[in-house]
Amino acid sequence: MFQVLRENLCCQINTLGYPKAALFTFCIALVAYNPLSAVRAALRSVYATEKIEAEIFSYYLADEIKAT
């Protein structure tokens, strides 16, 4: 989960020197992880887990969530 947060939801920004701002950004990324995991769970309930892991990339799901 933390790898997805760090890579796809950009929760670790180097320019945030203030602890409260960094904590806020991390919390926003945690909140954004909920729809990401819900979409992956819904897809797993319809399709096989192996197919989801092979064909659905977290980056594109996170990008779609960020766009909405």
Side-chain angles (χ1 to χ4, degrees):
M1 177 178 101
F2 289 110
Q3 181 180 2
V4 172
L5 287 173
R6 185 176 55 83
E7 291 176 353
N8 299 329
L9 298 176
C10 303
C11 73
Q12 187 177 8
I13 300 173
N14 294 331
T15 58
L16 292 176
Y18 303 102
K20 289 183 180 180
L23 181 62
F24 177 72
T25 305
F26 180 71
C27 291
I28 293 297
L30 283 176
V31 169
Y33 186 77
N34 283 336
L36 181 68
S37 63
V39 168
R40 290 184 69 86
L43 287 171
R44 275 195 306 267
S45 71
V46 175
Y47 302 106
T49 304
E50 296 83 20
K51 183 174 182 172
I52 299 301
E53 295 299 324
E55 295 180 12
I56 304 295
F57 298 103
S58 295
Y59 173 79
Y60 295 114
L61 285 176
D63 189 41
E64 192 66 33
I65 290 171
K66 281 192 263 185
T68 350

